[in-house]
Structure formats: C-alpha cells, structure tokens
Amino acid sequence: LILINYYILTGPVALACWALPGGVGQKVVSQWFKGFCSLLFVQGVQLFILTTLPLVVPSFPNLPTDKFGIVDIFFAQLPRVIVLMAVVQAPKMVGTGATKAIAQAGKVAGGAVVAVGAAAYSIV
C-alpha cells in the first residue's frame, strides 16, 4: 500500500518529465509506468490469493490422541499460515519482488531529478 501511494504521489512529477527534451523524460515516464503496472498486478494477485485461497484450503480435523490440544491449535492456525505464505511468495511467482519494486521506485525518482537537472542546464 505504501508503494502504491508513492507511485501515485510521484505520478505527476514523472508525467511532467515527459515534456523534457532529449528523450530522458520519456524514459522516466516509461520506467514509472512499468513499475506502477507491475506493482498493481502483483497486489492484484495477492488480493486474489487472500480472497480465494482461504475458501480452498480445508480445515484440519481434531486429533483424538491430543490430550492437551496443542496439535489441534497448531492445525487450526495452519491454513492461515499457508495463505499468508502464499501471499508473501506471490511477487516471486509473478517475477518481481518488494526489493525490486523499491529499487524501481528509486530509479524513477532519480531519473526525474536527472531529467529536471538536464532541462534546467539546457535552459541556462
């Protein structure tokens, strides 16, 4: 959620870079658009997993040999753990990761700064 908000906040700056000369601005907009779309796709997949996988994963039956109920508590929580692990692994299955998304966001911000600096230099 934080990364989507970051992309939304940097969107106007990245789109303003489109008008900069030299093709640098178009590269910044392209990087921003790719990062934003990949982030939306990954979070859409995660949302799909969060909504459908709990319906598919069965609950485990109680074990009659467990006197203290420790194994029953473990098995009662296991489907939730499986769902959360699938959500965490979703970016790797799609081919991206949180660190790649953060690196892409930093690259977009750095490209925007370079593009604005190049435009200011060409004006002067």
Side-chain angles (χ1 to χ4, degrees):
L1 190 59
I2 292 171
L3 288 176
I4 286 181
N5 288 337
Y6 176 77
Y7 270 100
I8 290 171
L9 289 175
T10 58
V13 175
L15 293 176
C17 288
W18 182 269
L20 295 176
V24 177
Q26 288 81 8
K27 291 178 186 175
V28 170
V29 172
S30 173
Q31 288 177 348
W32 179 87
F33 190 70
K34 281 192 238 178
F36 186 69
C37 288
S38 68
L39 187 66
L40 279 180
F41 180 70
V42 166
Q43 290 200 345
V45 169
Q46 287 177 332
L47 185 62
F48 178 76
I49 291 171
L50 277 174
T51 56
T52 59
L53 197 59
L55 301 173
V56 177
V57 176
S59 59
F60 294 99
N62 291 337
L63 296 175
T65 59
D66 188 21
K67 282 192 326 189
F68 300 110
I70 295 172
V71 177
D72 287 336
I73 293 171
F74 174 74
F75 281 136
Q77 300 300 321
L78 190 60
R80 294 178 185 151
V81 172
I82 291 171
V83 169
L84 290 177
M85 288 301 294
V87 168
V88 169
Q89 294 298 321
K92 286 184 183 177
M93 290 186 282
V94 173
T96 185
T99 55
K100 279 186 180 179
I102 293 170
Q104 181 73 14
K107 189 188 281 188
V108 168
V113 168
V114 168
V116 170
Y121 181 74
S122 67
I123 291 173
V124 174

